[in-house]
Amino acid sequence: MATPEPRCGPTRLGPGTSWRETRIRPDGGMRAEEFVVLSVEPPRRLVLGSPGDGVDYRIIWTLRDVRRRRRRYAAVTVAVTAQPAAPSGRAVALLLGGLAAQAVEKVLRQDLAALAAAVDRPAEAA
């Protein structure tokens, strides 16, 4: 699970807000990733950027209301793009693009499961 390390203090989420997350890699090692908010359109859209090793990532979260059987749900769409930022990034994208996509999908599913669990928990008494 990711551990956010906010750098911007208790301010509203907006362009320029950044943080680091420490994640466990598939090989068991640790990796710190930095994210920065590129744009936000509350409550519908959030665009994050994350510089990688030779590749810059853009993550777009989109939420929309869905009604099924008289109940409201939020449908979450996540689109991830990778733009090579160095010659090595092109080679990595060509050779490992499919594996990277699977790894990103796994992490996003874990994040969404953690978010759903947090939403389902009753509020703790203050």
Side-chain angles (χ1 to χ4, degrees), residues 53-121:
D53 295 331
V55 179
D56 290 334
Y57 296 94
R58 179 171 293 212
I59 304 107
I60 303 169
W61 294 74
T62 306
L63 283 79
R64 64 183 171 82
D65 287 328
V66 176
R67 291 188 182 270
R68 288 193 183 146
R69 296 185 181 115
R70 298 183 186 168
R71 294 187 70 187
R72 289 181 61 189
Y73 299 90
V76 179
T77 302
V78 181
V80 180
T81 59
Q83 180 67 38
S88 62
R90 294 180 205 279
V92 168
L94 180 63
L95 296 172
L96 302 175
L99 291 175
Q102 290 174 358
V104 168
E105 180 181 1
K106 181 179 177 183
V107 168
L108 290 173
R109 287 187 183 279
Q110 290 170 344
D111 287 352
L112 286 172
L115 179 61
V119 168
D120 288 341
R121 273 187 293 227

Side-chain angles (χ1 to χ4, degrees), residues 5-14 17-18:
E5 301 169 13
R7 287 202 222 153
C8 61
T11 61
R12 292 183 59 99
L13 183 73
T17 302
S18 64

